[in-house]
């Protein structure tokens, strides 16, 4: 699957790729829940990240997704309260 994604996005700039990813998460609906992906973010995880941050921890998100795929959504969904 990764190979297919790389082939499909070959030649795209990071900005173009980020724009497509952001549009997907803004417009696409979860297949079984029928709601936007932003509506199915696991709220207890966000609360835990904020609690840890308030206690002085620095949080990192580790995923199987590539960096340029994860950045647009992680900034929108899991934003640091320190950095906005």
């Amino acid at each position: 699957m990764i190979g297919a994604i790389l082939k499909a996005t070959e030649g795209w700039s990071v900005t173009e790729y980020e724009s497509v990813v952001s549009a997907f998460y803004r417009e696409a609906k979860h297949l079984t829940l029928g709601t936007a992906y932003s509506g199915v973010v696991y709220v207890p995880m966000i609360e835990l990240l904020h609690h840890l941050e308030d206690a002085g921890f620095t949080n990192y998100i580790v995923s199987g997704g590539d960096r340029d795929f994860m950045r647009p959504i992680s900034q929108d969904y899991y934003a640091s309260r320190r950095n906005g």
Side-chain angles (χ1 to χ4, degrees):
M1 187 162 102
I2 300 271
I5 292 170
L6 291 173
K7 185 72 171 167
T9 60
E10 189 174 29
W12 291 10
S13 71
V14 172
T15 305
E16 290 169 319
Y17 186 67
E18 182 177 311
S19 176
V20 170
V21 170
S22 294
F24 171 79
Y25 276 99
R26 195 173 46 251
E27 299 164 7
K29 302 285 185 198
H30 188 280
L31 294 177
T32 58
L33 300 175
T35 188
Y37 281 96
S38 61
V40 295
V41 175
Y42 190 56
V43 174
M45 181 190 303
I46 297 168
E47 292 169 347
L48 174 61
L49 291 171
H50 289 165
H51 175 74
L52 291 169
E53 184 178 49
D54 291 345
F57 288 88
T58 300
N59 299 308
Y60 297 91
I61 295 178
V62 178
S63 171
D66 72 33
R67 175 195 68 203
D68 297 324
F69 183 80
M70 291 303 300
R71 280 188 178 164
I73 63 166
S74 62
Q75 290 170 2
D76 288 344
Y77 297 165
Y78 308 112
S80 167
R81 293 193 291 198
R82 285 187 216 152
N83 300 325

